């Protein structure tokens, strides 16, 4: 019989994983401690914007016409333990308040709540991003708490999904990494992932610490790539070079590659910034701080981008924000997401507002979250409304609809035709032809 699966924590990661597992043919029970989330998901609604996820959910959640009925939700750990053979831990590990280290309290509490109910063979599979060493600690805790004793085990199976591509990344991952301590655990996970593996996804088996490290190392590398190109953007600005051409040219070397070399206002979101900080904190605890001291530089290059964008904006409006009207296109940390966690766009909008600018923000999907985080900014219902009367327009999240704006039409409604492209994705020629002063990070002015 196919193993039954539970998914503990139904945020971005968990909701997607639960829906995908059901779509692959498993009976799935999703658990969250927040009743409203469970109510929404049970009604086939996704609590965040993630393209394609609602369709997969509705295809599987019980109660929908034509649905497989393989997916249900609960708030009860006892029910989850009773139901599942494999329990995926998908709770989040945010940055701890006032510290670099990550907050493990959700992971810890999930294990403390589940383990005492494990009375038969079960595999708890961690997916959350955690400091290396956590898995070994949690495995010991499960052994202590579970009535099933040795028959309740822990494995670590990091997740590499990107917001905006969560469904695709979960259904067709580019690799599956499993940290295990027994053949039984490995075989069980091979069974769970049989479909993607049959489609050719590499399946890598490691020990627990390596599996945990794969995830943090991957995010550290991606952050490094972005900060590298942003450092090059700083040099380009000083030397009158063009970082977009530079990135294209170095990217042709396939040892370097073209991806993740888009210079701009830098990386944000709920993962990369907090993950590199937690990685540094953990390395410090392990006596390996020096090995990751370069990540401090990666972090500061990244944070400098935001300040630089604020300064370019100040310059564009004549040296002072007082009385200046600034239109901000984009609030989310990247397009195709409604996530504004540590969003460079919203951070820049906030800094300008706090320094006296009159900021009006528009974002296709992130308005509600942005308003909740930054209620004192002004929000407009469309891009056209946001730019009306603006002294300068900032393009801070590269939503497709911003690339399709007509600069000639917008030119009629602004006070001054000035645009700063914080993402290097607009077409400079198009904007300049329509009479705009177009400026981008790391590119020549004309
Ligand atoms: C990131 C990783 O890409 C995923 O592999 C990982 O699973 C996930 O974190 C996680 O740890 O959960 P995500 O946060 O969804 O995924 O977003 P990314 O697509 O990585 O973008 C992160 C930030 O980097 C965004 O603010 C984006 O605008 C910025 N970025 C990205 C650049 O500034 N330049 C680039 O060339 C690429």
């Amino acid at each position: 019989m196919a193993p039954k699966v539970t998914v503990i924590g139904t945020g971005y990661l968990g909701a997607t994983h639960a829906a995908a597992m059901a779509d692959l043919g498993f009976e799935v029970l999703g658990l969250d401690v927040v009743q409203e989330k469970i109510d929404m998901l049970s009604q086939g609604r996704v609590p965040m914007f993630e393209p394609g996820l609602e369709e997969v959910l509705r295809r599987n959640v019980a109660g929908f016409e034509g649905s497989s009925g393989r997916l249900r939700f609960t708030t009860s750990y006892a029910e989850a333990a009773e139901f599942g053979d494999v329990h995926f831990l998908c709770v989040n590990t945010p940055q701890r308040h006032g510290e670099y280290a990550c907050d493990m309290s959700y992971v810890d509490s999930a294990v403390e709540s589940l383990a005492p109910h494990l009375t038969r063979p079960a595999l708890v599979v961690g997916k959350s991003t955690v400091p290396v060493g956590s898995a070994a600690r949690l495995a010991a805790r499960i052994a202590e708490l579970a009535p099933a004793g040795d028959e309740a085990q822990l494995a670590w199976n990091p997740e590499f999904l990107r917001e905006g591509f969560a469904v695709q990344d979960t259904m067709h991952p580019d690799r599956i990494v499993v940290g295990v301590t027994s053949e039984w655990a490995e075989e069980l996970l091979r069974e769970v992932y049989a479909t993607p593996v049959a489609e050719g996804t590499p399946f890598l088996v490691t020990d627990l610490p390596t599996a945990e490290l794969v995830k943090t190392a991957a995010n550290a590398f991606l952050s490094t790539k972005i900060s590298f190109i942003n450092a090059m953007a700083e040099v380009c600005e000083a030397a009158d070079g063009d970082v977009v051409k530079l990135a294209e040219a170095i990217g042709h070397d396939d040892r370097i590659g073209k991806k993740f070399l888009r210079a701009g206002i830098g990386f944000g979101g709920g993962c990369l910034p907090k993950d590199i900080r937690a990685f540094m904190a953990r390395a410090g605890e392990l006596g390996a701080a020096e090995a990751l001291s370069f990540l401090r530089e990666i972090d500061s290059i990244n944070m400098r981008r935001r300040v630089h964008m604020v300064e370019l904006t100040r310059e564009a409006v004549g040296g002072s924000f007082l009385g200046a009207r600034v239109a901000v296109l984009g609030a989310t940390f990247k397009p195709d997401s409604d996530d504004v966690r540590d969003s460079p766009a919203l951070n820049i909008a906030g800094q300008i507002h706090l320094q006296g600018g009159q900021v009006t923000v528009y974002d296709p999907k992130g308005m509600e979250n942005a308003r909740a985080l930054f209620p004192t900014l002004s929000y407009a219902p469309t891009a056209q409304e946001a730019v009306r009367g603006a002294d300068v327009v900032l393009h801070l999240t590269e939503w497709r609809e911003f690339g399709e704006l007509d600069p000639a039409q917008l030119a009629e409604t602004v006070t001054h035709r000035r645009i700063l492209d914080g993402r290097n994705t607009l077409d400079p020629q198009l904007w300049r032809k329509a009479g705009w002063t177009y400026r981008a990070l790391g590119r020549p002015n004309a």
Side-chain angles (χ1 to χ4, degrees), residues 262 264-266 268 309 327-349 361-367 370 383 393-405 419-426:
R262 224 170 356 82
I265 55 173
M309 191 68 191
V328 169
L329 301 180
T332 53
F333 84 106
K334 67 183 217 181
D336 291 324
S337 165
D338 62 358
D339 197 346
V340 298
R341 284 177 297 170
D342 202 359
S343 164
L346 200 55
N347 180 298
I348 289 163
V361 180
Y362 165 72
D363 188 279
K365 295 285 176 199
M367 300 287 267
V393 177
L394 309 187
H395 174 242
L396 300 185
T397 312
E398 67 279 31
W399 285 93
R400 181 195 288 263
E401 73 169 71
F402 299 150
E404 290 165 357
L405 287 171
I419 181 145
L420 299 182
D421 186 358
R423 291 298 187 176
N424 273 317
T425 51
L426 299 177

Side-chain angles (χ1 to χ4, degrees), residues 160-161 163 215 219 260 262 267-268 271 333-334 423:
F160 306 104
L161 69 79
E163 287 180 21
K215 170 66 192 226
N219 277 2
F260 261 63
R262 224 170 356 82
F267 58 82
C271 301
F333 84 106
K334 67 183 217 181
R423 291 298 187 176

Side-chain angles (χ1 to χ4, degrees), residues 124-319:
V124 180
V125 184
K127 276 199 152 308
S128 312
T129 302
V130 295
V132 60
S134 305
R137 177 175 66 76
L138 295 167
R141 196 66 190 131
I142 289 170
E144 254 168 56
L145 293 174
D150 292 356
E151 299 201 308
Q153 289 189 14
L154 182 86
W156 215 261
N157 167 220
E159 177 59 58
F160 306 104
L161 69 79
R162 297 160 298 167
E163 287 180 21
F165 298 90
V167 173
Q168 185 194 323
D169 288 352
T170 306
M171 306 282 249
H172 311 284
D174 50 14
R175 78 285 208 191
I176 294 165
V177 177
V178 298
V180 291
T181 55
S182 73
E183 267 175 35
W184 172 73
E186 180 184 335
E187 286 318 310
L188 197 50
L189 285 168
R190 281 190 188 278
E191 205 178 333
V192 167
Y193 290 120
T195 305
V197 171
E199 284 169 0
T201 301
F203 187 85
L204 286 95
V205 181
T206 72
D207 52 27
L208 294 177
T210 307
E212 293 168 301
L213 280 170
V214 168
K215 170 66 192 226
T216 32
N219 277 2
F221 192 85
L222 293 171
S223 310
T224 302
K225 247 188 137 174
I226 299 170
S227 277
F228 174 83
I229 203 64
N230 281 331
M232 293 305 110
E234 288 185 13
V235 179
C236 280
E237 272 181 38
D240 250 344
D242 182 339
V243 74
V244 174
K245 277 280 165 220
L246 180 142
E248 186 189 337
I250 64 172
H252 280 296
D253 180 335
D254 58 12
R255 291 171 305 175
I256 296 173
K258 288 200 172 106
K259 292 181 183 161
F260 261 63
L261 284 184
R262 224 170 356 82
I265 55 173
F267 58 82
C271 301
L272 301 189
K274 68 111 176 147
D275 285 355
I276 59 170
R277 292 171 193 155
F279 201 15
M280 282 187 268
R282 185 62 185 141
E285 286 167 8
L286 293 168
E290 217 181 324
L292 296 188
S293 60
F294 75 96
L295 286 179
R296 202 171 287 278
E297 196 54 39
I298 299 306
D299 201 5
S300 33
I301 293 169
N302 191 52
M303 297 311 280
R304 222 157 52 217
R305 306 308 288 161
R306 304 176 183 189
V307 178
H308 185 49
M309 191 68 191
V310 173
E311 289 317 316
L312 285 183
T313 311
R314 194 197 312 275
E315 213 177 278
V317 296

